[in-house]
Amino acid sequence: MQSAVSGTAIASASNADTAGRNRFLFVAIGILAVAGIAVSAVSLQRHYARSATAFCDVGEKFNCDIVNRSEYSSVMGIPVAGIGIVGYGVLLALATLYRSRAETPLRLLVAAVVGLGFALYLTCVEAYVLDTWCILCLSSLGLIMSITVLAGVIKARTA
């Protein structure tokens, strides 16, 4: 009986240690998601703006205005930056409000992978179709890549 109790105590301590390490990762994902919302909000503002973007016009190969106002900047009439705001909002909610649920690590990883896939598609459009890079878009790509890696670590720890 005593070994069963001590085995339960060890498992409980191990779960608490994993939860503590994952808590840090959830907080990091939350911070990155807030940064993603901010980057996407600026990009959305630039999508509708009529004036040129000074901070993002860095030569002929880097121009956010060309990218944000191209035919590829909307999906079925919805600005890609608006989709980014919603996507990062979902990631933020999963990393904060729903982090204690057992299914959250898988949902967080799936949402991050979908976001990364979409960002990689848009990056290919920048590289091979528009032949112009957007600093805001590349920043968002870095954020979603980081979130995906962290979500993968959380999922691996809970498997």
Side-chain angles (χ1 to χ4, degrees):
M1 180 70 171
Q2 186 176 6
S3 65
V5 171
S6 64
T8 304
I10 291 170
S12 179
S14 175
N15 287 344
D17 183 44
T18 300
R21 289 184 297 163
N22 283 347
R23 185 175 197 276
F24 171 77
L25 296 176
F26 279 122
V27 169
I29 289 172
I31 291 168
L32 292 169
V34 168
I37 291 169
V39 168
S40 295
V42 171
S43 189
L44 183 64
Q45 187 273 333
R46 298 314 312 159
H47 176 81
Y48 289 112
R50 300 274 185 236
S51 61
T53 306
F55 73 87
C56 198
D57 185 5
V58 187
E60 62 183 61
K61 290 290 184 180
F62 285 91
N63 189 316
C64 294
D65 293 334
I66 291 172
V67 175
N68 279 327
R69 296 176 189 155
S70 75
E71 63 183 281
Y72 298 96
S73 67
S74 295
V75 175
M76 295 185 292
I78 302 169
V80 167
I83 295 169
I85 291 170
V86 172
Y88 282 118
V90 167
L91 292 167
L92 178 62
L94 287 169
T96 56
L97 301 175
Y98 298 104
R99 75 171 179 238
S100 62
R101 295 187 178 181
E103 64 274 3
T104 295
L106 178 60
R107 289 181 180 175
L108 187 60
L109 181 59
V110 169
V113 167
V114 168
L116 179 59
F118 189 56
L120 288 171
Y121 161 73
L122 293 172
T123 302
C124 286
V125 168
E126 286 179 86
Y128 300 111
V129 177
L130 299 174
D131 196 31
T132 304
W133 298 96
C134 169
I135 293 170
L136 295 169
C137 305
L138 294 174
S139 299
S140 182
L141 176 63
L143 291 167
I144 194 63
M145 286 176 97
S146 300
I147 289 170
T148 303
V149 168
L150 295 176
V153 171
I154 291 171
K155 179 61 182 138
R157 286 182 178 175
T158 59

